[in-house]
Amino acid sequence: MRVVVLGAGFGGLELTTRLSDELGDAADVVLIDKADGFVFGFSKLDVMFGRTVADAVVHPYTDLVKPGVRFVQTTIRSIDPVMRRVETDAGVFEADLLVVALGADLDPAATPGLVEGGHEFYTVAGAFALREVLADFAGGRVIVGVTSTPFKCPPAPSETALLVHDFLTDRGLRAASEISLVMPLGAPVPPSPGASEALLAAFAEREIAWCPNQLVRELDPGRKVVRLADGGEMPYDLFLGVPVHKAPAVSRRRACASTVGFPSIRSRFETSFPGVYASAMSRAVGTPKAGVFAEGQASVVAAAIIARHGGRGPTVEYDGHGQCYLEFGHDRVARVDVTFAAGHAPTGFFEDRRRSWPITRPTSGVPASGVGSVANGRRSDRYESASVRARSRPRCRRRGPDRGCGCSRGSRCR
């Protein structure tokens, strides 16, 4: 049985890990992605604010994929869901089962003036480039703004605003600066009133202006103003934006085109095309856009494929539950648990930030934990996925896997 998985984000890695663990050589698994490595969302902020370097947070896929999984770095050109056939720059791949876990494309150019007069921090390249921009920033009016809905990781703009406060405070620039957060939501984390209340209190404590129910429609670089969806304007010196999210272009083409690529999603994420699953296709499945939910969806798809291979019907249902860690600045994090169940209003549980855990960051090296955990020092012992349990061993880039060499990684290299 050949399983072709498109997209090596949280969903793709979780899925291929589970298939490797459960099916071994009985499945020929191919994982395709245009990138050569994985970067956690929070790691982009670590680089952006100068707390680590880019090389320390990029996890090569060759180190992450499991035995029996072949990783192919290439660009996907077309998907034929009827024939389960994928055309790429590396050739054609045909599948018995096809899983599309491409997530969303980010399009900064879709917001007029953003590329010319602002910066975005959601792409890896954009966040990494901001490291130098922030280092050179002399203070002034900072706007953290969202340019479209839906967007992934809704807490990230709030975290960014709080980290901007810390960054400017550490450099003696906060008194001469203003920070505003512009979001289309009525609360920072709508499913969790507790998290929202804590964030709003943090904003008030740090004098961060909270601008709810607003979208940034365009930037005027000449006048240095942001135009909002309601026609209002806000002046800025530094704009940090969440760019427009779109369905991947390849999933919008040909017969599979719809709002996100597949016209209907059945139970357990099988599409209307037999043998084609869609994991982490956020708009289609109606769940929030975050890696933990992509993982949860992928685990359901994996269970369905494993049951199918064994001649059984699928039994695992998606429960819509996930948890994430929310950074409040001042080296503190808190945990948010939310559940999105079909036919019910979202529910959320917030672990008060006064009982949150200090962040202890490694000074160098690639984090030892694999995809699916909150790494880089965040206390995530209560959250573990198959990707973590079954990760490849840490790899020293000088001498190969599991060999001590005296490099800067110290004991983590052994």
Side-chain angles (χ1 to χ4, degrees), residues 170-356:
D170 290 345
R171 284 156 180 76
L173 300 171
R174 184 63 180 96
S177 300
E178 300 174 4
I179 304 172
S180 300
L181 174 59
V182 180
M183 289 185 66
L185 308 175
V189 187
S192 176
S196 293
E197 290 171 7
L199 284 168
L200 291 173
F203 298 158
E205 177 186 341
R206 294 161 176 80
E207 298 184 342
I208 296 171
W210 162 244
C211 307
N213 301 310
Q214 290 280 8
L215 271 177
V216 173
R217 287 302 186 200
E218 64 178 309
L219 280 66
D220 184 336
R223 295 177 55 222
K224 298 290 283 188
V225 296
V226 164
R227 293 195 180 96
L228 305 176
D230 67 356
E233 293 186 344
M234 297 176 66
Y236 73 92
D237 296 300
L238 176 65
F239 180 79
L240 307 176
V242 177
V244 170
H245 289 44
K246 295 181 176 179
V250 68
S251 72
R252 300 195 302 265
R253 299 177 190 141
R254 297 186 58 183
C256 63
S258 72
T259 55
V260 297
F262 292 96
S264 66
I265 303 293
R266 297 174 179 170
S267 175
R268 303 178 184 90
F269 306 104
E270 185 171 7
T271 72
S272 57
F273 301 101
V276 179
Y277 296 84
S279 172
M281 303 291 281
S282 299
R283 292 186 190 174
V285 301
T287 63
K289 297 100 194 121
V292 64
F293 296 102
E295 276 195 344
Q297 297 161 27
S299 67
V300 173
V301 174
I305 292 174
I306 292 165
R308 186 172 186 155
H309 180 265
R312 306 182 305 274
T315 58
V316 178
E317 297 279 357
Y318 180 59
D319 62 8
H321 176 259
Q323 59 181 257
C324 67
Y325 291 80
L326 199 162
E327 187 159 354
F328 275 82
H330 299 322
D331 287 341
R332 309 280 307 172
V333 295
R335 190 180 70 185
V336 181
D337 286 82
V338 294
T339 300
F340 292 79
H344 300 276
T347 59
F349 167 78
F350 174 65
E351 183 159 352
D352 194 294
R353 67 189 176 97
R354 288 171 295 183
R355 291 183 285 115
S356 61

